[in-house]
């Protein structure tokens, strides 16, 4: 994370790009965007040292709405971009965003490997349980039995619990939020960015167009915060809060400290170099091409 060195204190509004979001009125993604602006201001993150990447989908438009560097990539590949940026420029704050279809179907493979590598980025999964941009097809987080545009008789497949997947594949920080609770979501995003290692934040974000606009009301009724005595350092208590049906618990489910991918790459580099000076590019090339 890179903090500002300027005397000027940046406010949430300073992180707006000036581009108006094209999301449907009432979309849950607005709450996440506002929480992100607030979290960035809370941490005084320098926009010029921040990169936000995404895949494809309604929520993947987000990088365009933030005053920072950004990249709206191809479907399911937000984390591949994040990996390249972070490994090449570890000093930058790197945030990946996207939806559940983007991140758990075509991009599911990249979530698993980013988690096990402990890639030092924050991944915000904006979970609306549907493919919104392509007009309401069933997605990996759509509950079994739900009717969608592509499952008229009900979804025959069991759904994925994103937090359970992230915990089991090695993420070192896993949290769950709700976009209708901007204040608490701000706190979670702030903590996720501060975490050293792979922080995965699943934010329930209602799609008012394809999942019905009474979702905010329904979710508010079952919302609860994780108990203060929850032991986030152990996997077993953390997964008790996954696959919930009658309640929605928000908070930090799991948090441990481990070396990140960049830490381990730095260690390999140090071991390989030993105590000698860093070789020049010419010396490296001459190792492989003696007549270079
Ligand atoms: Fe939001 Fe759904 Fe509209 Fe997409 S289709 S912008 S997820 S409300």
């Amino acid at each position: 994370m890179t903090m500002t060195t300027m005397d000027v204190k940046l406010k949430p509004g300073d992180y707006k790009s000036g581009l108006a979001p094209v999301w449907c009125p009432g979309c849950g993604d607005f709450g996440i965007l506002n929480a992100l602006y607030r979290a960035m201001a809370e941490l005084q993150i320098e926009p010029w040292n921040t990169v936000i990447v995404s895949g494809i989908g309604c929520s993947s438009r987000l990088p365009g709405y933030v005053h920072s560097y950004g990249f709206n990539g191809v479907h399911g590949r937000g984390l591949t971009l994040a990996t390249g940026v972070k490994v090449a420029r570890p000093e930058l704050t790197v945030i990946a965003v996207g939806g559940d279809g983007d991140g758990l179907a075509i991009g599911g493979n990249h979530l698993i490997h980013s988690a096990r590598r402990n890639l030092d980025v924050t991944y915000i999964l904006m979970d609306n349980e549907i493919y919104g941009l392509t007009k309401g097809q069933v997605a990996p987080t759509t509950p079994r039995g739900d009717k969608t545009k592509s499952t008229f008789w009900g979804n025959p497949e069991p759904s994925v619990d994103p937090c359970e997947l992230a915990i089991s594949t090695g993420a070192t920080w896993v949290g769950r939020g709700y976009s209708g609770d901007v204040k608490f979501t701000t706190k979670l995003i702030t903590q996720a960015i501060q975490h050293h290692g792979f922080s995965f934040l699943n934010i329930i974000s209602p799609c008012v167009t394809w999942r019905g606009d009474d979702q905010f009301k329904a979710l508010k009724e079952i919302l609860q915060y994780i108990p203060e005595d929850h032991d986030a350092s152990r996997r077993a208590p953390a997964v008790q809060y996954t696959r919930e049906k009658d309640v929605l618990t928000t908070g930090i489910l799991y948090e441990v400290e481990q070396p990140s991918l960049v830490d381990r790459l730095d260690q390999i580099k140090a071991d390989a170099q030993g105590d000698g000076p860093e070789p020049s590019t010419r010396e490296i090339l001459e190792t492989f091409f003696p007549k270079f």
Side-chain angles (χ1 to χ4, degrees), residues 11-285:
K11 298 186 285 299
D14 294 325
Y15 292 93
K16 292 184 178 179
S17 69
L19 200 63
V22 295
W23 294 320
C24 307
C27 174
D29 293 352
F30 284 101
I32 299 173
L33 181 60
N34 277 323
L36 180 61
Y37 291 145
R38 292 183 191 195
M40 291 176 82
E42 175 80 25
L43 295 170
Q44 289 293 288
I45 287 177
E46 295 172 340
W48 52 93
N49 279 319
T50 303
V51 184
I52 303 180
V53 297
S54 67
I56 293 291
C58 294
S59 49
S60 284
R61 296 179 188 274
L62 186 142
Y65 306 142
V66 183
H67 176 46
S68 70
Y69 287 95
F71 197 114
N72 187 182
V74 293
H75 207 193
R77 302 298 186 266
L79 284 171
T80 63
L81 294 166
T83 305
V85 174
K86 192 67 192 181
V87 170
R89 296 284 307 276
E91 74 280 14
L92 301 180
T93 298
V94 183
I95 301 169
V97 297
D100 45 291
D102 178 79
L104 297 171
I106 189 168
N109 184 31
H110 302 299
L111 168 59
I112 291 168
H113 297 292
S114 299
R116 80 175 170 86
R117 289 170 180 150
N118 202 21
L119 178 68
D120 189 8
V121 306
T122 296
Y123 182 30
I124 300 174
L125 192 85
M126 300 158 77
D127 185 356
N128 58 15
E129 301 181 340
I130 201 87
Y131 281 97
L133 189 68
T134 49
K135 307 209 180 310
Q137 296 89 350
V138 69
T141 52
T142 308
R144 181 156 57 184
D146 277 21
K147 291 184 178 180
T148 71
K149 291 288 177 189
S150 60
T151 55
F152 183 78
W153 301 104
N155 177 19
E157 301 175 359
S159 59
V160 175
D161 186 294
C163 292
E164 185 182 31
L165 181 65
I167 292 166
S168 64
T169 52
T172 51
W173 189 104
V174 178
R176 187 195 287 128
Y178 161 57
S179 67
D181 186 352
V182 175
K183 191 174 172 190
F184 193 60
T185 301
T186 301
K187 196 173 164 187
L188 288 173
I189 295 176
T190 303
Q191 291 172 316
I193 294 173
Q194 287 178 307
H195 177 73
H196 180 72
F198 189 66
S199 50
F200 175 76
L201 180 56
N202 179 220
I203 306 179
I204 309 302
S205 179
C207 169
V208 294
T209 298
W210 302 111
R211 294 283 288 157
D213 57 5
D214 59 352
Q215 272 194 59
F216 283 104
K217 185 168 174 280
L219 286 166
K220 198 175 174 187
E221 284 169 3
I222 61 169
L223 198 68
Q224 65 178 24
Y225 295 123
I226 204 156
E228 284 188 7
D229 61 357
H230 167 63
D231 181 1
S233 67
R234 291 173 52 231
R235 285 189 181 188
V239 294
Q240 283 182 1
Y241 294 99
T242 60
R243 298 198 174 271
E244 292 177 325
K245 287 195 169 50
D246 302 326
V247 290
L248 176 71
T249 305
T250 56
I252 301 173
L253 274 53
Y254 185 64
E255 182 176 20
V256 290
E257 287 293 330
Q258 285 175 13
S260 71
L261 175 66
V262 169
D263 294 335
R264 281 180 271 114
L265 289 174
D266 283 347
Q267 186 61 53
I268 288 170
K269 189 175 166 190
D271 290 347
Q273 284 180 346
D275 297 329
E278 190 161 346
S280 67
T281 304
R282 171 167 287 277
E283 285 170 326
I284 293 171
L285 287 171

